[in-house]
Amino acid sequence: MTSEFYSQHVIPLEGKIFRFSRRLLSSEDAAKDATQEVLLKLWRLRGQLEDINNIEAYAMTTTKNLCYDVLKSKHNKTLELVHSNYSAPSSCLSSEIEARDEVSLVAKFINELPEQQRAVIQLRDIEQFTNKEIEEIMNMNSTSVRVALSRARKKIISELKKTADYGIR
Amino acid sequence: MEFDKKYINQLLSLYEEGETTLEQEQELKMYFSSGNYDSDFEAYASLFKFFEKESNVQFKGEAAIEKKSSRYFWINIAASICIVLGGVWFYDYYENQQKLEEARLAFETTQNALNLISINMNEGLEKLEYVEVFSQQKNNLIK
């Protein structure tokens, strides 16, 4: 019964969890690990999942917390992670194709944003969560969600306009 | 679907302020994915295209792990067979070695025992020489 509930409600979320952690950790491999860990965590809690009214938001909160932990521990051992980080050998070809695309510029600009803005824009513009859900996930109030969102969007758009003006592609 | 440029402009400025609803953002997405957007909106178009593309990225972690485990499955079986065969062979060899050792021990003990007997026998032979002398003297006297 509970495992059925899990496969019906949690497994479909794995894409969202993966994309969110990839955005926060900016590494494909680290995101895969984080996704596995979040899924495992939710599996352990499967008995209590039915009592949670918004599993999607709950899963995202778990993902956020885990990614922040990973980032925190990464800051503590930068030396160790310098070489193992930011590589995705499997997507070599796709990233090559992507590099010619203006779309990858957007990815670059998003990844240059502060952590919180990155998270908010991912949740809102890619995963289509409502502001209310984002407040819950990020533990922010409604004004700061809107401000973070607006800042992130303005920043990306101004960067995009700048590159378009200089003709750098 | 036809979109008014002024309306889109208005939506975009609302969007930048973070004031749009999800439905309005959906409208913007549809406008830019249709392909015939105004060239003034080029920067926005790449942004919305990116969102569209990103939302289709899938998680592939699990499939990779399953593949790996199925490949290792047969290697595991082969390794365990090798270990079992090796164990049986070694046990056999050890048992044989043990038997040989026992036989050698038995042989050595027997040899020792026989040696002891022969040494004692030789000692007894020396004493027999007196008997020989005695019988000679006796024969001399009786003749």
Side-chain angles (χ1 to χ4, degrees):
Chain A
M1 179 58 205
T2 47
S3 62
E4 237 170 68
F5 185 82
Y6 179 86
S7 54
Q8 266 173 19
H9 292 87
V10 178
I11 296 294
L13 297 178
E14 65 176 24
K16 282 188 180 191
I17 295 170
F18 173 64
R19 290 189 294 265
F20 189 36
S21 47
R22 196 176 67 136
R23 178 71 52 230
L24 288 173
L25 301 173
S26 19
S27 150
E28 199 103 352
D29 291 337
K32 270 183 193 164
D33 289 348
T35 310
Q36 295 283 14
E37 205 145 317
V38 170
L39 289 175
L40 186 67
K41 246 180 202 169
L42 292 173
W43 172 251
R44 289 208 188 104
L45 290 172
R46 64 191 181 280
Q48 300 149 42
L49 285 181
E50 282 170 74
D51 304 333
I52 297 165
N53 49 17
N54 191 345
I55 292 179
E56 223 171 339
Y58 183 77
M60 288 298 154
T61 313
T62 315
T63 311
K64 183 206 74 178
N65 290 339
L66 189 106
C67 289
Y68 278 13
D69 285 349
V70 170
L71 287 172
K72 232 181 268 166
S73 66
K74 196 158 72 179
H75 286 313
N76 291 340
K77 37 183 180 174
T78 24
L79 261 186
E80 198 184 313
L81 280 148
V82 163
H83 299 294
S84 61
N85 202 9
Y86 303 113
S87 66
S90 60
S91 62
C92 224
L93 185 71
S94 68
S95 66
E96 220 181 274
I97 296 162
E98 222 179 51
R100 287 183 224 132
D101 208 343
E102 78 251 280
V103 161
S104 66
L105 266 180
V106 182
K108 190 177 149 246
F109 295 142
I110 292 182
N111 287 338
E112 281 166 2
L113 292 172
E115 247 161 53
Q116 199 186 47
Q117 291 180 19
R118 229 188 305 160
V120 171
I121 206 158
Q122 171 80 19
L123 291 172
R124 173 76 189 197
D125 281 336
I126 296 170
E127 308 300 352
Q128 324 250 293
F129 281 98
T130 62
N131 278 14
K132 195 126 199 88
E133 285 169 316
I134 297 173
E135 283 163 33
E136 194 186 315
I137 293 166
M138 299 300 296
N139 200 13
M140 290 159 78
N141 62 41
S142 63
T143 327
S144 48
V145 167
R146 201 169 39 80
V147 168
L149 199 55
S150 164
R151 276 195 193 142
R153 286 168 174 174
K154 277 181 181 160
K155 175 83 181 150
I156 297 165
I157 289 163
S158 78
E159 292 284 343
L160 280 171
K161 281 181 175 163
K162 233 192 275 172
T163 49
D165 288 345
Y166 293 143
I168 305 165
R169 276 288 158 92
Chain B
M1 208 185 288
E2 273 304 303
F3 288 100
D4 183 18
K5 188 177 172 185
K6 212 172 124 195
Y7 175 61
I8 294 296
N9 229 337
Q10 193 191 340
L11 277 189
L12 284 174
S13 58
L14 276 178
Y15 172 78
E16 278 194 44
E17 294 304 324
E19 304 276 9
T20 39
T21 61
L22 280 174
E23 289 76 33
Q24 285 170 324
E25 284 164 26
Q26 207 55 46
E27 263 183 79
L28 285 172
K29 264 177 207 169
M30 267 163 64
Y31 172 70
F32 286 111
S33 65
S34 69
N36 52 0
Y37 47 82
D38 201 286
S39 56
D40 291 353
F41 300 141
E42 195 62 55
Y44 298 95
S46 47
L47 182 63
F48 282 100
K49 270 188 223 153
F50 172 78
F51 291 153
E52 190 73 42
K53 191 170 151 248
E54 271 298 289
S55 61
N56 291 322
V57 174
Q58 287 306 317
F59 176 58
K60 299 190 202 82
E62 225 166 34
I65 282 169
E66 244 168 58
K67 212 168 146 195
K68 218 197 288 176
S69 70
S70 71
R71 202 188 59 182
Y72 280 114
F73 181 69
W74 291 108
I75 294 177
N76 279 345
I77 288 188
S80 11
I81 289 173
C82 282
I83 288 171
V84 167
L85 283 180
V88 167
W89 177 80
F90 182 75
Y91 180 75
D92 228 40
Y93 174 78
Y94 181 74
E95 199 87 315
N96 267 345
Q97 215 58 3
Q98 207 73 347
K99 266 184 205 158
L100 278 178
E101 193 68 16
E102 263 169 36
R104 196 176 297 131
L105 257 176
F107 172 72
E108 268 170 24
T109 345
T110 324
Q111 208 174 26
N112 279 345
L114 287 174
N115 272 340
L116 200 72
I117 290 174
S118 76
I119 287 167
N120 283 339
M121 287 270 267
N122 285 339
E123 269 173 21
L125 264 179
E126 278 165 26
K127 295 281 189 297
L128 268 177
E129 267 172 37
Y130 296 112
V131 177
E132 193 106 332
V133 172
F134 176 75
S135 73
Q136 250 175 23
Q137 295 302 322
K138 185 203 79 181
N139 283 348
N140 285 345
L141 284 176
I142 286 176
K143 256 184 193 169

